[in-house]
Each structure stands twice: as C-alpha cells, then as structure tokens.
Amino acid sequence: MLMRIRPKTDLRTLITLLAITSIVITLANALYATWRVQRMVLIESTLEANRAYATKLAATTEVFFQLAQSQLHYSATQLGKDFDNTELAQQEVNRLREQTSSFNSVAVVNTDGVVKAISPESLMLKGMKLTSQASREALAKRQPMVSKPTLSAANNLLVFVSWPIWSKEGRYLGYVGGTIYLKKKSILNELLGEQYYRDGTHVYVLDRNNQVLYHQNNQLIGKSVPGIISESQRQEQTNGSLQLTEEGTAKLAGYAIVPTTGWMVVALKPTDVTLAPLSGLLLKVLKNSVPFALLTLLVAVILARLIALPLWQLARKASQMDTQSVSGEIGGIRAWYFEAAQVKRAMLTGISLVQDKIGRLKSEVQTDPLTSLLNRRGLSAVLDYFNAMRQPFAVLALDIDHFKRVNDNFGHDVGDEVIKKIAQALSHSARATDVVCRNGGEEFLMLLPGTTAEEARIIAERLRNNIADSRIETVGNITISVGIALWQPENGTQEQSLKQADAALYQAKNAGRNCVMIAGQDALVSSITR
C-alpha cells in the first residue's frame, strides 16, 4: 500500500503563497476594473462623439437649406417685379444654379405648372407642364417648402426646394425652385462627404419614412431600412445616441434631426473598432504594473521570512526542551512582534517548569527517600561520571553493626531512625567533593575522589569514632564496620573496586566489627571493646 507524502508546509511558505495570491488577485482585479472602466469610457466617448458629429452635420444641413431658401426668396422677389419677362427669368435661374452651386437644376413655374425658365436648358423642359408630386404640392401650398424625396421624370431621386412668387399687388404668380440630386453629385453630398471621419465612422441620412437619402454606398440610396428610433422618439428629442446591431455587427450610433426637413443624420462606428485600442491599453497597464508587483512580492517574501523566522527558531527549540542550554538559546531568539514574544515567553516559562519537574524527578529517582542520600541509581550516575572523567577515588563500604538486633528489640521505626542518624553523621563528616549514598538496608557507601588509602583510612576511623561516641536515644551507642578499596582508571574496573571494598567490609565484620579494613590488609584494632 503506497502512502502519500504530504509536503512540509511552514509559516514562511504560507505567508509567501498568501502574498503571491493576493498580488495576483489584486493585479487581475485591477486589470479587470481597468478593462471595464476603459471599455465604458471608450463606448461613452464614442457615443457622445457620434452624437455631436451627427448634430453638427444636421446643423450644417439645416444651414444649407436655410441659405438655399434665402437665395430662392431673393430670386422670387426679383421675379415678382416683372414675372412676364422671360429673359429675366432665364437669367435668374442661371444665376441661382451657377453662382451658388446649391442646386443641380433651377426652374421658374407659373400657376399652371408650366416651366417658364429652366437651368440647365439641356433638360428641355421649358414650356412643359410639370406634373410631379413636388410641383403640385408647391402650387397648392403657395409657401416656402422642401419636398419629400421623390423620383423625377428623368428617374433621379431628388429633393425640391421652392419659394412662392408674388406680384406687388399680392397676386400669386407661381414659384421658383431648385432640385438637389441625391444619387448624383450635389452640394449636399459634398457637405456630408467632407465631414467623413477616417476612424471607421460612417454617415447616412434618412427621411421621415426611413428612406436612405445619403450613404457612402450609392446602391442603398433610395432604399428603406429599419429605423434606429421610434417616431415618438423623433418627436421628443432632436439628437441622441444608442448602441445597436446592424447586419450582425454591434455599432455605436449618434443621431440628430434636421428641423426643416425632418431628416435624420446618423453617425455610426463599429463597437469592435472603438474597443480595438483596449487590448493595447491593458498591455501597457500590465507592463507598468508588473515591476511594482514584483517589487511588492520581493518585499512580501522578505517580510514573510522576518515574520516566520522567530517562530521557526522557536519551533526548532521546542524539540530540545529537555536540554540544559535550550533556555539560553531561546532567550537569544529575537521575537520582535507581539505573538512571537508571547510564544517565546510561554516556552521559557514552560521549559523552566519542565526542567524543574525533570530535576525533581531525577532527584526523586536517584535519592533514597528515607535518608535523602543517593541511592543505587544516583551512585551509578556518579560512577559513570568518574569513569568518563578518569577520576580516581577511594570507596568506603560501611555497615551498621548488629542492626538486626535493633529492629528485633526496638522495632523497624526505631531502626529507621538509627539509619537516619547514621546518614546524617556521614553527611556531616563528608567533604564537599565526597559522595555519600545508601547502598541498601543498613549499608552505606562513600566515594572519596582523589584520596589515597591512608587518607581514606583516617577519614574512616574518624567516622567510626564519631559514630561510636554518639549516643542514640532509645538504642544507645551504635558502631559501624568499614571496608576500604581504591580505584585507579588504569587498574581494573570500578565494579572490581566496589567488590574489594565489600570484601574488606566482611573482613572487618569477621574481625569482630567496629573496625576499619583496607582491602588486602589486616583488620585495624577497634578503639572500642567489641
């Protein structure tokens, strides 16, 4: 069965990943917000530009019609003074057509609809009666007017602008009018064509019935197309903008109404053309943002290391809390922010408590509970230390004489008190470097580092005499027997020396007790009668 090994995750890695994620999300959000805002700005600015453009063209067209009507008004006034003068009529129509270039053709028509004069004369309509809708409407209304787009006798789509002619006496004489061709070259086409932008924007003009009057594509002139706004919207607002779909392509439109004719000028620009600069703009934003993002990431990595370092160091020391030097090492860690400082303080407190408890446990494990001297485990630890340090020592094996009688005669509680008194005597007589331990029952051991056999004998005699001269309540005087041996690192093992001391103790016991015996020598005579 395969076990999946999870990668080790530390605080620095987590902080770095968090920083990278935050930077990426922030950068992505900034790019998206920039894209949204710039897209909206481009669309709104294009819609406004197209509205303003259409309004300008509509105003230009309105001015053109007003000027055209003004020219016709002047001619009508002149013709009204001498309407029967054929030569004057011909001169006037020629002047209107050639001097201003406002009209493709100009004619003077009497009340019967008969053409009195026409320019250019090549049209050969002089003396003929006009029956077109525009002509009949001009005669019927007897007021200045701009006709609806209509087909002429020569199958030209045109607009007819007329002005009534009145005599000085106020008698209606007819009208003077000029035609503007929509499919052929005309001043209106030139006005609209000169305003054409080179950024993908194009213009077309619709009449009230959504018939195309002007378009870059001549094939569409005269055809009807779907309206971009309703008739009620035409009535309510003279200009505006909107987004629409034309032939499957999203476009941004601005429109304006020509007041005199009711025509609608529409300026269109494809949405994708408008938004084409957006990708380049985003690339520039990204190009300018990446260095700052990388710098931020570098700062984040450095800060992540600074933040994680104290906790990482504390975590490493957490596994070494039982070592002696760990408190000092933890104290040297620079916990520069609140949380790390609290963890450090808690660890130092915990280590102090743990080491104190461990010390107590070690003391309890290595100490005899009755006498507070070292027990066998404590002795073993001292022997290991002496062995490691190659420290020679003398060992005194001590035993209380006739201790069984004390227990039998006075009880074990008194026996325990005797053992305590002997332990106190040994502790008080020992030097600072000596080691005293209870080896079990009424037996004791003393380790005298760096001590010769003679010095050990003198110390043992002093101990024996002091104890023999001390009177213990209830029991009276107690004596001890002592066996001495030496350990040198180069001569045998510690265990052999301990056995030699124990053998010397038994020799002292066999020699009558209350005496000191050095391993390999005869028992010393006791100073107290045995």
Side-chain angles (χ1 to χ4, degrees), residues 100-292:
T100 64
S101 300
S102 297
F103 306 104
N104 291 95
S105 64
V106 182
V108 176
V109 181
N110 62 20
T111 55
D112 295 326
V114 176
V115 177
K116 289 192 62 176
I118 189 167
S119 177
E121 296 184 50
S122 60
L123 293 176
M124 295 184 295
L125 294 175
K126 189 175 182 179
M128 294 182 62
K129 184 176 182 178
L130 298 180
T131 59
S132 65
Q133 177 66 30
S135 178
R136 294 197 304 269
E137 190 175 2
L139 292 172
K141 291 186 177 181
R142 298 183 180 185
Q143 62 183 17
M145 61 168 288
V146 179
S147 73
K148 295 178 181 179
T150 184
L151 285 174
S152 67
N155 200 31
N156 290 324
L157 184 65
L158 55 83
V159 174
F160 187 63
V161 184
S162 63
W163 196 275
I165 303 173
W166 300 88
S167 67
K168 293 180 180 180
E169 295 79 15
R171 183 169 56 88
Y172 179 67
L173 302 177
Y175 65 84
V176 58
T179 60
I180 302 172
Y181 294 160
L182 299 178
K183 285 190 175 183
K184 296 182 178 181
K185 182 179 179 181
S186 67
I187 190 171
L188 184 60
N189 285 343
E190 291 178 2
L191 286 173
L192 295 173
E194 286 177 0
Q195 301 294 334
Y196 173 62
Y197 280 160
R198 302 295 180 183
D199 62 351
T201 302
H202 66 276
V203 174
Y204 63 85
V205 180
L206 304 176
D207 66 6
R208 294 181 183 275
N209 299 318
N210 294 321
Q211 184 181 14
V212 179
L213 304 180
Y214 170 80
H215 202 285
Q216 289 174 273
N217 184 0
N218 275 346
Q219 300 298 321
L220 296 178
I221 297 177
K223 295 183 178 179
S224 295
V225 296
I228 64 172
I229 60 173
S230 64
E231 185 61 30
S232 61
Q233 289 176 311
R234 273 177 175 260
Q235 301 295 330
E236 292 172 1
Q237 52 191 45
T238 59
N239 59 68
S241 60
L242 72 161
Q243 300 185 49
L244 54 84
T245 301
E246 189 179 79
E247 297 178 354
T249 302
K251 295 184 178 181
L252 306 173
Y255 64 88
I257 306 299
V258 180
T260 299
T261 61
W263 296 355
M264 176 187 289
V265 179
V266 181
L268 282 177
K269 186 175 183 180
T271 303
D272 57 352
V273 175
T274 298
L275 300 179
L278 193 57
S279 58
L281 179 63
L282 289 179
L283 187 61
K284 290 180 181 178
V285 172
L286 183 62
K287 187 176 180 181
N288 290 322
S289 300
V290 165
F292 293 101

Side-chain angles (χ1 to χ4, degrees), residues 391-446:
Q391 172 65 57
F393 61 86
V395 54
L396 276 60
L398 305 98
D399 186 81
I400 301 175
D401 295 333
H402 303 295
F403 183 71
K404 186 176 183 299
R405 295 178 185 175
V406 174
N407 282 333
D408 292 342
N409 295 332
F410 304 103
H412 290 283
D413 290 340
V414 174
D416 288 344
E417 288 298 322
V418 171
I419 291 175
K420 287 182 182 180
K421 293 293 184 180
I422 298 299
Q424 291 173 1
L426 294 178
S427 296
H428 292 158
S429 300
R431 300 170 299 181
T433 57
D434 295 343
V435 178
V436 183
C437 65
R438 183 186 178 193
N439 199 31
E442 71 277 14
E443 296 181 3
F444 299 88
L445 284 177
M446 288 185 67

Side-chain angles (χ1 to χ4, degrees), residues 237 306 517:
Q237 52 191 45
L306 291 176
M517 180 70 71

